[in-house]
Coordinates of all heavy atoms in Angstrom, one line a residue:
R908 N -16.1 17.6 -49.9 CA -17.1 16.7 -50.5 C -17.4 15.6 -49.4 O -18.5 15.1 -49.5 CB -16.4 16.0 -51.7 CG -17.3 14.9 -52.3 CD -18.6 15.5 -52.9 NE -19.6 14.4 -53.3 CZ -20.5 13.9 -52.6 NH1 -20.7 14.3 -51.3 NH2 -21.3 13.0 -53.1
A909 N -16.5 15.4 -48.5 CA -16.8 14.4 -47.4 C -16.6 15.1 -46.1 O -15.8 16.1 -46.0 CB -15.9 13.2 -47.5
E910 N -17.4 14.7 -45.1 CA -17.3 15.2 -43.7 C -16.4 14.3 -43.0 O -16.7 13.0 -43.0 CB -18.6 15.4 -43.1 CG -18.7 16.1 -41.8 CD -20.1 16.3 -41.3 OE1 -21.1 15.8 -42.0 OE2 -20.3 16.9 -40.3
F911 N -15.4 14.7 -42.2 CA -14.5 13.8 -41.5 C -14.8 13.9 -40.0 O -14.8 15.0 -39.5 CB -13.1 14.2 -41.8 CG -12.6 13.6 -43.1 CD1 -13.0 14.2 -44.3 CD2 -11.7 12.6 -43.2 CE1 -12.6 13.7 -45.6 CE2 -11.3 12.0 -44.4 CZ -11.7 12.6 -45.6
F912 N -14.9 12.8 -39.3 CA -15.0 12.8 -37.9 C -13.8 12.0 -37.3 O -13.4 11.1 -37.9 CB -16.3 12.1 -37.5 CG -17.5 12.9 -37.6 CD1 -18.3 12.7 -38.8 CD2 -17.9 13.9 -36.7 CE1 -19.5 13.4 -39.0 CE2 -19.0 14.6 -36.9 CZ -19.8 14.4 -38.0
S913 N -13.4 12.5 -36.2 CA -12.3 11.7 -35.5 C -12.9 11.0 -34.4 O -13.6 11.5 -33.5 CB -11.2 12.7 -35.2 OG -10.7 12.4 -34.0
I914 N -12.7 9.7 -34.3 CA -13.3 8.8 -33.3 C -12.2 8.3 -32.4 O -11.2 7.6 -32.9 CB -14.0 7.6 -34.0 CG1 -15.0 8.1 -35.1 CG2 -14.7 6.7 -32.9 CD1 -16.2 8.9 -34.5
N915 N -12.4 8.5 -31.1 CA -11.3 8.1 -30.2 C -11.4 6.5 -29.9 O -12.5 5.9 -30.1 CB -11.4 8.8 -28.8 CG -11.1 10.3 -29.1 OD1 -10.6 10.7 -30.2 ND2 -11.4 11.2 -28.2
D916 N -10.3 6.0 -29.3 CA -10.3 4.6 -29.0 C -11.5 4.2 -28.1 O -12.1 3.1 -28.4 CB -8.9 4.3 -28.1 CG -7.7 4.4 -29.0 OD1 -7.8 4.6 -30.2 OD2 -6.6 4.3 -28.4
D917 N -11.8 4.9 -27.1 CA -12.9 4.4 -26.2 C -14.2 4.5 -26.9 O -15.1 3.6 -26.6 CB -12.9 5.3 -24.9 CG -13.0 6.8 -25.1 OD1 -12.7 7.2 -26.3 OD2 -13.4 7.5 -24.2
E918 N -14.4 5.4 -27.8 CA -15.7 5.5 -28.5 C -15.8 4.2 -29.5 O -16.9 3.6 -29.6 CB -15.8 6.7 -29.3 CG -15.8 8.0 -28.4 CD -15.6 9.3 -29.2 OE1 -14.7 9.4 -30.1 OE2 -16.3 10.3 -28.9
A919 N -14.7 3.9 -30.1 CA -14.7 2.7 -31.0 C -15.0 1.5 -30.2 O -15.8 0.6 -30.6 CB -13.4 2.6 -31.7
L920 N -14.4 1.3 -29.1 CA -14.6 0.1 -28.2 C -16.1 0.0 -27.8 O -16.7 -1.0 -27.9 CB -13.8 0.2 -26.9 CG -12.3 -0.3 -27.0 CD1 -11.6 0.1 -25.7 CD2 -12.3 -1.8 -27.2
Q921 N -16.6 1.2 -27.4 CA -18.0 1.2 -27.0 C -19.0 0.7 -28.1 O -19.9 -0.1 -27.9 CB -18.4 2.7 -26.6 CG -19.8 2.9 -26.1 CD -20.2 4.3 -26.3 OE1 -19.4 5.2 -26.1 NE2 -21.4 4.6 -26.7
F922 N -18.7 1.2 -29.3 CA -19.6 0.8 -30.4 C -19.4 -0.7 -30.9 O -20.3 -1.3 -31.3 CB -19.4 1.8 -31.6 CG -20.4 2.9 -31.5 CD1 -20.1 4.0 -30.7 CD2 -21.7 2.8 -32.1 CE1 -21.1 5.0 -30.5 CE2 -22.6 3.8 -31.9 CZ -22.3 4.9 -31.1
A923 N -18.2 -1.2 -30.7 CA -17.9 -2.6 -31.0 C -18.8 -3.5 -30.0 O -19.5 -4.4 -30.5 CB -16.5 -2.9 -30.8
Y924 N -18.8 -3.1 -28.8 CA -19.7 -3.8 -27.8 C -21.1 -3.6 -28.1 O -21.9 -4.6 -28.0 CB -19.3 -3.3 -26.4 CG -18.2 -4.1 -25.8 CD1 -16.9 -3.7 -25.8 CD2 -18.4 -5.4 -25.3 CE1 -15.9 -4.4 -25.3 CE2 -17.4 -6.2 -24.8 CZ -16.1 -5.7 -24.8 OH -15.1 -6.4 -24.3
E925 N -21.5 -2.4 -28.4 CA -22.9 -2.1 -28.7 C -23.4 -3.0 -29.9 O -24.5 -3.6 -29.8 CB -23.1 -0.6 -29.0 CG -24.6 -0.4 -29.5 CD -24.9 1.1 -29.4 OE1 -24.7 1.7 -28.3 OE2 -25.4 1.7 -30.4
L926 N -22.7 -3.0 -31.0 CA -23.1 -3.7 -32.2 C -23.2 -5.2 -31.9 O -24.1 -5.9 -32.3 CB -22.2 -3.6 -33.4 CG -22.6 -4.2 -34.7 CD1 -23.8 -3.4 -35.3 CD2 -21.6 -4.4 -35.7
T927 N -22.2 -5.7 -31.1 CA -22.2 -7.1 -30.7 C -23.5 -7.5 -29.9 O -24.1 -8.5 -30.2 CB -21.0 -7.4 -29.9 OG1 -19.8 -7.0 -30.7 CG2 -20.9 -8.9 -29.6
K928 N -23.8 -6.6 -28.9 CA -24.9 -6.9 -28.0 C -26.3 -6.8 -28.8 O -27.2 -7.6 -28.5 CB -24.9 -5.9 -26.9 CG -23.8 -6.3 -25.9 CD -24.2 -6.0 -24.5 CE -23.0 -6.4 -23.5 NZ -22.1 -5.2 -23.2
I929 N -26.4 -5.8 -29.6 CA -27.8 -5.6 -30.2 C -28.0 -6.2 -31.6 O -29.1 -6.4 -32.0 CB -28.3 -4.1 -30.1 CG1 -27.6 -3.3 -31.1 CG2 -28.2 -3.6 -28.7 CD1 -28.2 -1.9 -31.1
E930 N -26.9 -6.5 -32.3 CA -27.1 -7.1 -33.6 C -26.4 -8.5 -33.7 O -26.6 -9.2 -34.7 CB -26.6 -6.2 -34.7 CG -27.3 -4.9 -34.9 CD -28.7 -5.1 -35.6 OE1 -29.0 -6.2 -36.1 OE2 -29.5 -4.1 -35.6
G931 N -25.7 -8.9 -32.7 CA -25.0 -10.2 -32.7 C -23.9 -10.3 -33.8 O -23.6 -11.3 -34.4
I932 N -23.2 -9.1 -34.0 CA -22.1 -9.1 -35.0 C -20.9 -8.4 -34.2 O -21.0 -7.3 -33.7 CB -22.5 -8.2 -36.2 CG1 -23.7 -8.7 -36.9 CG2 -21.3 -8.0 -37.1 CD1 -24.2 -7.8 -38.0
I933 N -19.8 -9.2 -34.2 CA -18.6 -8.7 -33.6 C -17.8 -8.0 -34.7 O -17.2 -8.7 -35.5 CB -17.8 -9.8 -32.9 CG1 -18.6 -10.5 -31.8 CG2 -16.5 -9.2 -32.2 CD1 -17.9 -11.6 -31.1
P934 N -17.7 -6.7 -34.7 CA -17.0 -6.0 -35.8 C -15.5 -5.9 -35.5 O -15.0 -6.0 -34.4 CB -17.6 -4.6 -35.8 CG -17.9 -4.3 -34.3 CD -18.2 -5.7 -33.7
A935 N -14.7 -5.6 -36.6 CA -13.3 -5.3 -36.4 C -13.3 -3.9 -35.7 O -14.2 -3.1 -35.8 CB -12.6 -5.2 -37.7
L936 N -12.2 -3.7 -34.9 CA -12.1 -2.4 -34.2 C -12.1 -1.2 -35.2 O -12.6 -0.1 -35.0 CB -10.8 -2.3 -33.5 CG -10.9 -2.6 -32.0 CD1 -9.5 -2.8 -31.4 CD2 -11.6 -1.4 -31.3
E937 N -11.5 -1.4 -36.4 CA -11.5 -0.4 -37.4 C -12.9 0.0 -37.8 O -13.3 1.2 -37.8 CB -10.7 -0.9 -38.7 CG -9.3 -1.1 -38.5 CD -8.9 -2.5 -37.9 OE1 -9.8 -3.2 -37.6 OE2 -7.7 -2.7 -37.8
S938 N -13.7 -1.0 -38.1 CA -15.1 -0.8 -38.5 C -15.9 -0.1 -37.4 O -16.8 0.7 -37.7 CB -15.8 -2.1 -38.9 OG -14.9 -3.0 -39.6
A939 N -15.6 -0.4 -36.2 CA -16.3 0.2 -35.1 C -16.2 1.7 -35.1 O -17.0 2.5 -34.6 CB -15.8 -0.4 -33.7
H940 N -15.1 2.2 -35.6 CA -14.9 3.7 -35.8 C -16.0 4.3 -36.7 O -16.5 5.4 -36.5 CB -13.5 4.1 -36.4 CG -12.4 3.9 -35.4 ND1 -11.9 2.6 -35.0 CD2 -11.6 4.8 -34.7 CE1 -10.9 2.8 -34.2 NE2 -10.7 4.1 -33.9
A941 N -16.4 3.5 -37.7 CA -17.4 4.0 -38.6 C -18.8 4.0 -37.9 O -19.5 4.9 -38.1 CB -17.4 3.2 -39.9
L942 N -19.0 3.0 -37.1 CA -20.3 2.9 -36.4 C -20.4 4.0 -35.4 O -21.5 4.6 -35.2 CB -20.3 1.6 -35.6 CG -20.4 0.3 -36.5 CD1 -20.0 -0.9 -35.6 CD2 -21.7 0.2 -37.1
A943 N -19.3 4.5 -34.8 CA -19.3 5.5 -33.8 C -19.8 6.9 -34.3 O -20.2 7.8 -33.6 CB -18.0 5.6 -33.1
V944 N -19.9 7.0 -35.6 CA -20.4 8.3 -36.2 C -21.9 8.4 -35.8 O -22.4 9.5 -35.8 CB -20.2 8.2 -37.8 CG1 -21.0 9.4 -38.4 CG2 -18.7 8.3 -38.1
L945 N -22.5 7.3 -35.5 CA -23.9 7.4 -35.1 C -24.2 8.3 -33.9 O -25.2 8.8 -33.7 CB -24.5 5.9 -34.8 CG -24.6 5.1 -36.1 CD1 -24.9 3.6 -35.7 CD2 -25.7 5.6 -37.0
D946 N -23.1 8.4 -33.1 CA -23.2 9.3 -31.9 C -22.8 10.7 -32.2 O -23.0 11.6 -31.4 CB -22.3 8.8 -30.8 CG -23.0 8.2 -29.6 OD1 -24.3 8.3 -29.6 OD2 -22.3 7.7 -28.7
K947 N -22.3 11.0 -33.4 CA -21.7 12.3 -33.7 C -22.6 13.1 -34.5 O -22.5 14.3 -34.7 CB -20.4 12.2 -34.4 CG -19.3 11.3 -33.7 CD -18.5 12.2 -32.8 CE -17.6 11.4 -31.9 NZ -16.9 12.1 -31.0
K948 N -23.5 12.4 -35.2 CA -24.3 13.1 -36.3 C -25.8 12.7 -36.1 O -26.1 11.5 -35.8 CB -23.8 12.5 -37.6 CG -24.5 13.1 -38.8 CD -23.6 14.1 -39.5 CE -24.4 14.9 -40.5 NZ -23.7 16.1 -40.9
K949 N -26.7 13.6 -36.2 CA -28.1 13.3 -36.0 C -28.7 13.1 -37.4 O -28.6 13.9 -38.3 CB -28.8 14.5 -35.3 CG -30.2 14.3 -35.0 CD -30.5 13.6 -33.7 CE -31.9 13.2 -33.5 NZ -32.2 11.8 -33.7
F950 N -29.3 11.9 -37.5 CA -29.9 11.5 -38.8 C -31.4 11.6 -38.7 O -31.9 11.5 -37.6 CB -29.5 10.1 -39.2 CG -28.0 9.9 -39.4 CD1 -27.2 9.3 -38.4 CD2 -27.4 10.4 -40.6 CE1 -25.9 9.2 -38.6 CE2 -26.1 10.3 -40.7 CZ -25.2 9.7 -39.8
K951 N -32.1 11.9 -39.8 CA -33.5 12.0 -39.8 C -34.2 10.6 -39.8 O -33.6 9.7 -40.3 CB -34.0 12.9 -40.9 CG -33.6 14.3 -40.8 CD -34.5 15.3 -41.6 CE -34.1 15.3 -43.1 NZ -32.9 16.0 -43.5
K952 N -35.5 10.6 -39.4 CA -36.2 9.3 -39.4 C -36.2 8.6 -40.7 O -36.1 7.4 -40.8 CB -37.6 9.6 -38.9 CG -38.3 8.4 -38.4 CD -39.6 8.8 -37.7 CE -40.5 7.5 -37.5 NZ -41.0 7.1 -38.8
D953 N -36.3 9.4 -41.8 CA -36.4 8.7 -43.1 C -35.1 8.5 -43.8 O -35.1 8.0 -44.9 CB -37.4 9.6 -44.0 CG -38.8 9.5 -43.5 OD1 -39.2 8.6 -42.8 OD2 -39.5 10.6 -43.7
D954 N -34.0 9.0 -43.2 CA -32.7 8.9 -43.9 C -32.4 7.4 -44.1 O -32.6 6.6 -43.2 CB -31.6 9.6 -43.0 CG -31.6 11.1 -43.2 OD1 -32.2 11.6 -44.2 OD2 -31.0 11.8 -42.3
V955 N -31.7 7.2 -45.2 CA -31.1 5.9 -45.5 C -29.6 6.0 -45.3 O -28.9 6.8 -45.9 CB -31.4 5.4 -46.8 CG1 -30.7 4.1 -47.2 CG2 -32.9 5.1 -47.0
V956 N -29.1 5.3 -44.3 CA -27.6 5.4 -43.9 C -26.9 4.1 -44.1 O -27.4 3.1 -43.5 CB -27.6 5.8 -42.4 CG1 -26.1 5.9 -42.0 CG2 -28.4 7.1 -42.1
V957 N -25.9 4.1 -45.0 CA -25.2 2.8 -45.2 C -23.8 2.9 -44.5 O -23.1 3.9 -44.8 CB -25.0 2.5 -46.7 CG1 -24.2 1.3 -46.9 CG2 -26.4 2.3 -47.3
I958 N -23.5 2.0 -43.7 CA -22.2 2.0 -43.0 C -21.4 0.7 -43.5 O -21.9 -0.4 -43.5 CB -22.3 1.9 -41.5 CG1 -23.2 3.1 -41.0 CG2 -21.0 1.9 -40.8 CD1 -23.5 3.0 -39.5
C959 N -20.1 0.9 -43.9 CA -19.3 -0.2 -44.3 C -18.7 -0.9 -43.0 O -18.0 -0.3 -42.3 CB -18.2 0.2 -45.2 SG -17.2 -1.2 -45.8
L960 N -19.1 -2.2 -42.9 CA -18.5 -3.0 -41.8 C -17.3 -3.7 -42.5 O -17.4 -4.8 -43.0 CB -19.6 -4.0 -41.4 CG -19.4 -4.4 -39.9 CD1 -19.7 -3.2 -39.0 CD2 -20.4 -5.5 -39.6
S961 N -16.2 -3.0 -42.4 CA -15.0 -3.4 -43.2 C -14.4 -4.8 -42.9 O -13.9 -5.5 -43.7 CB -13.9 -2.4 -43.1 OG -13.5 -2.1 -41.8
G962 N -14.6 -5.2 -41.6 CA -14.1 -6.5 -41.2 C -14.6 -7.1 -40.0 O -15.4 -6.4 -39.3
R963 N -14.3 -8.3 -39.6 CA -14.8 -8.9 -38.4 C -13.8 -8.9 -37.3 O -12.6 -8.6 -37.5 CB -15.2 -10.4 -38.7 CG -14.2 -11.3 -39.3 CD -14.7 -12.7 -39.4 NE -13.8 -13.6 -40.1 CZ -14.1 -14.1 -41.3 NH1 -15.1 -13.8 -42.0 NH2 -13.2 -15.0 -41.8

Side-chain angles (χ1 to χ4, degrees):
R908 175 65 187 96
E910 191 177 2
F911 281 72
F912 286 98
S913 141
I914 306 295
N915 294 346
D916 290 353
D917 56 341
E918 297 168 316
L920 276 171
Q921 179 203 323
F922 270 84
Y924 273 96
E925 174 163 308
L926 186 76
T927 304
K928 287 212 179 96
I929 72 173
E930 294 286 351
I932 299 169
I933 303 178
L936 258 169
E937 291 84 359
S938 322
H940 287 73
L942 294 165
V944 169
L945 292 170
D946 247 358
K947 304 270 170 187
K948 180 106 191 159
K949 183 86 189 106
F950 299 102
K951 293 204 279 287
K952 192 167 166 299
D953 293 334
D954 281 342
V955 172
V956 179
V957 175
I958 303 175
C959 181
L960 207 67
S961 53
R963 59 178 172 245

